[in-house]
């Protein structure tokens, strides 16, 4: 079964790289051309990173980014539910158990 991609106003300014990688140069080109006319920059979910938000905010433009819901599977803890104990260098899970790093190997 084949589906047609929905028709919308969009363009591709790069190829074979993630949207977030090419953002800075594209954003700089646009802001250099339209300096004082831009108040808000709307981006899609591919651009939701702290780095991109920082780039936009640094030039006093308001970023408009869609809400991205948690990708945590049902029944699993979310990342923000863990607490890092910097002094003892371990995480504490929501059941107040210590999670210490032990080893990483290729298996």
């Amino acid at each position: 079964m084949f589906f047609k991609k929905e028709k919308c106003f969009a363009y591709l300014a790069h190829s074979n790289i993630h949207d977030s990688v090419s953002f800075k140069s594209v954003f700089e080109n646009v802001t250099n051309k339209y300096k004082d006319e831009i108040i808000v920059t709307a981006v899609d979910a591919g651009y939701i990173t702290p780095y991109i938000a920082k780039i936009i905010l640094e030039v006093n433009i308001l970023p408009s980014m869609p809400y991205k819901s948690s990708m945590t599977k049902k029944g699993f803890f979310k990342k923000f539910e863990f607490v890092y104990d910097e002094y003892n260098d371990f995480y504490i899970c929501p059941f107040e158990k210590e999670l210490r790093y032990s080893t990483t190997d290729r298996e």
Side-chain angles (χ1 to χ4, degrees):
M1 181 179 276
F2 295 97
F3 297 96
K4 277 189 168 182
K5 185 174 170 101
E6 69 180 71
K7 292 181 182 180
C8 64
F9 175 70
Y11 65 90
L12 184 63
H14 52 82
S15 62
N16 272 347
I17 58 173
H18 191 271
D19 292 342
S20 62
V21 174
S22 65
F23 178 81
K24 186 173 183 179
S25 62
V26 173
F27 182 72
E28 286 174 350
N29 289 341
V30 172
T31 54
N32 286 337
K33 186 172 182 177
Y34 300 102
K35 291 179 184 177
D36 300 324
E37 299 175 47
I38 303 171
I39 299 168
V40 176
T41 296
V43 298
D44 68 22
Y47 298 93
I48 301 176
T49 68
Y51 172 72
I52 287 177
K54 180 180 181 286
I55 289 172
I56 297 170
L57 291 167
E58 282 179 338
V59 293
N60 296 319
I61 294 175
L62 182 64
S64 177
M65 301 175 161
Y67 171 75
K68 189 172 180 182
S69 62
S70 172
M71 305 219 9
T72 304
K73 293 179 182 177
K74 187 175 182 177
F76 286 79
F77 296 125
K78 293 172 179 53
K79 187 176 180 179
F80 67 83
E81 294 179 294
F82 292 83
V83 176
Y84 180 64
D85 181 328
E86 187 175 359
Y87 181 79
N88 293 302
D89 191 28
F90 61 74
Y91 283 89
I92 302 169
C93 83
F95 288 130
E96 298 181 9
K97 302 291 182 187
E98 296 176 7
L99 303 174
R100 295 182 179 273
Y101 176 79
S102 60
T103 185
T104 303
D105 62 28
R106 294 183 184 263
E107 296 179 23

